[in-house]
Amino acid sequence: MDKVRCAHCGSRFVPNPRIKNQRYCAKVECQRARKTSWQRQKLATDPDYQANKRDSQRAWQIRNPGYWKNWRSRHPEYVERNRILRRQRRGRYKSEVAKMDASAHKVRLILMT
Ligand SMILES: [Zn+2]
């Protein structure tokens, strides 16, 4: 049997003869990738699927009021991690601005001489 390259992980596998044009191997993450790609494709092309997803999300929100509003209070570790990352980004931004100021100053000096 000819081996095929998996569309997700790229490893070679022997396709199941019962499955026509098998593109993904049997690994859990590859099957998950296949499903995600199918859903994305379906959502982009099928208005009924789109409407159904929207309706079920709305129904779920009605059954679970305040879920997203209280999400951060239920995930303090996320809030803390985000705070640290935000602080780091801000620090990096500040030092880049300082660097830009320094180089702009240098350009000005070159132009003046
Ligand atoms: Zn794979």
Side-chain angles (χ1 to χ4, degrees):
M1 198 78 203
D2 280 345
K3 282 191 170 182
V4 178
R5 199 171 287 281
C6 173
H8 182 64
C9 69
S11 70
R12 292 165 65 76
F13 66 99
V14 178
N16 184 333
R18 290 169 189 258
I19 303 170
K20 221 178 191 181
N21 302 324
Q22 185 179 357
R23 292 178 53 236
Y24 293 83
C25 71
K27 281 185 212 123
V28 172
E29 67 260 31
C30 299
Q31 289 301 309
R32 194 171 293 148
R34 179 176 68 85
K35 188 176 175 185
T36 305
S37 132
W38 180 89
Q39 280 174 328
R40 199 166 288 156
Q41 181 67 25
K42 189 78 176 160
L43 210 51
T45 55
D46 187 340
D48 285 344
Y49 192 76
Q50 242 171 46
N52 188 34
K53 187 187 177 185
R54 194 177 47 234
D55 290 349
S56 56
Q57 279 178 337
R58 246 177 230 157
W60 184 90
Q61 270 186 339
I62 290 166
R63 284 197 311 275
N64 300 275
Y67 180 88
W68 291 112
K69 214 173 176 184
N70 303 326
W71 192 88
R72 288 172 73 89
S73 65
R74 277 182 283 111
H75 297 84
E77 72 291 340
Y78 167 85
V79 174
E80 184 53 32
R81 178 179 176 271
N82 192 36
R83 181 177 297 135
I84 292 167
L85 290 175
R86 199 172 55 226
R87 215 166 271 161
Q88 283 175 353
R89 276 197 304 270
R90 201 178 300 146
R92 202 181 313 139
Y93 174 76
K94 269 187 188 162
S95 68
E96 265 165 32
V97 168
K99 243 183 267 165
M100 269 165 27
D101 278 356
S103 62
H105 190 64
K106 221 178 278 170
V107 168
R108 226 174 296 136
L109 285 176
I110 291 167
L111 287 175
M112 273 161 43
T113 52

